[in-house]
Amino acid sequence: MSKAVGVVSFLLGVAAGSLVTYHALKEKYEKIAQSEIDSVKKCFAERHNNCTKVEESKPEYEQLLKDKGYVNYSNMSQSQNEPEETVKNEDRPYVISAEQFGEFEDYEALTLTYYDDEVLADDNLDIVDDIDNIVGAESLNHFVKDETDVVYVRNDAHKCDYEICRDEESYSELVRDKPYL
């Protein structure tokens, strides 16, 4: 019997020691992890503050350079990648930026797909017949000109914003492979 009591006492001692060690180590490493998280947050906060300061001083700096006759060529490539500003004509669809997409609550936001064989279709694979009236044929030229896979178009007459995604697959092959559509 005394051997059994000794074994049980030993096992209880091991369990108690393991439990105490677990909690002590858990607290220690939680403190270490929290200090690391806090230091990273502090670092990013400082970076954000520095970036904000740079952005605030940027117009003054650019104006100073402009006054001295310098031209800022670094912004020219940036503006070439942005959609060109078009004259807003409520009768014609026009290209908008990604940020403008879906900004009006009373406008419906739809996704269309422009396939490699120059077919425009909706999510149900129904072909859009009147491309010029719906999204404007010239908006599809932005895929090549801007080297992008997505073009956003607003049609004020239909109160619709369209997200047009380019797909390198052929529409005819897609429909052929899915005869149940």
Side-chain angles (χ1 to χ4, degrees), residues 39-55:
S39 70
V40 169
K41 284 182 179 180
K42 181 181 175 185
C43 181
F44 278 110
E46 288 173 2
R47 269 194 193 168
H48 178 71
N49 290 340
N50 290 341
C51 289
T52 306
K53 290 176 187 174
V54 169
E55 289 298 321

Side-chain angles (χ1 to χ4, degrees), residues 26-42:
K26 180 180 173 190
E27 286 180 22
K28 176 183 176 183
Y29 287 107
E30 282 178 349
K31 287 180 183 177
I32 291 172
Q34 190 59 46
S35 70
E36 290 293 322
I37 291 169
D38 291 341
S39 70
V40 169
K41 284 182 179 180
K42 181 181 175 185

Side-chain angles (χ1 to χ4, degrees), residues 4 10 16 30 38 60-61 87 90 93 100-103 107 109 112 119 130 135 137-138 146 156 158 163 172 179 181:
F10 174 75
E30 282 178 349
D38 291 341
E60 297 168 4
Y61 176 72
V87 177
E90 292 187 12
Q100 293 172 308
F101 178 73
E103 71 182 347
Y107 276 50
L112 302 174
V119 173
D130 194 5
V135 296
E138 65 278 354
D146 298 339
D156 290 322
H158 294 157
E163 174 186 45
S172 56
L181 294 175

Side-chain angles (χ1 to χ4, degrees), residues 154-178:
R154 177 163 294 147
N155 187 327
D156 290 322
H158 294 157
K159 291 194 174 253
C160 255
D161 283 353
Y162 296 98
E163 174 186 45
I164 307 171
C165 303
R166 181 172 57 181
D167 191 336
E168 293 180 2
E169 187 175 13
S170 167
Y171 177 82
S172 56
E173 289 177 10
L174 178 70
V175 174
R176 185 183 65 221
D177 293 342
K178 299 180 181 181

Side-chain angles (χ1 to χ4, degrees), residues 24-96:
L25 290 176
K26 180 180 173 190
E27 286 180 22
K28 176 183 176 183
Y29 287 107
E30 282 178 349
K31 287 180 183 177
I32 291 172
Q34 190 59 46
S35 70
E36 290 293 322
I37 291 169
D38 291 341
S39 70
V40 169
K41 284 182 179 180
K42 181 181 175 185
C43 181
F44 278 110
E46 288 173 2
R47 269 194 193 168
H48 178 71
N49 290 340
N50 290 341
C51 289
T52 306
K53 290 176 187 174
V54 169
E55 289 298 321
E56 289 171 357
S57 65
K58 190 174 180 181
E60 297 168 4
Y61 176 72
E62 287 179 357
Q63 187 60 41
L64 179 66
L65 289 176
K66 198 176 210 181
D67 291 343
K68 291 191 176 191
Y70 292 102
V71 177
N72 187 356
Y73 291 104
S74 64
N75 288 339
M76 289 187 176
S77 64
Q78 189 177 25
S79 64
Q80 289 174 354
N81 293 334
E82 296 172 1
E84 61 189 49
E85 293 296 320
T86 56
V87 177
K88 186 175 177 180
N89 180 354
E90 292 187 12
D91 297 335
R92 301 282 309 140
Y94 54 94
V95 175
I96 59 174

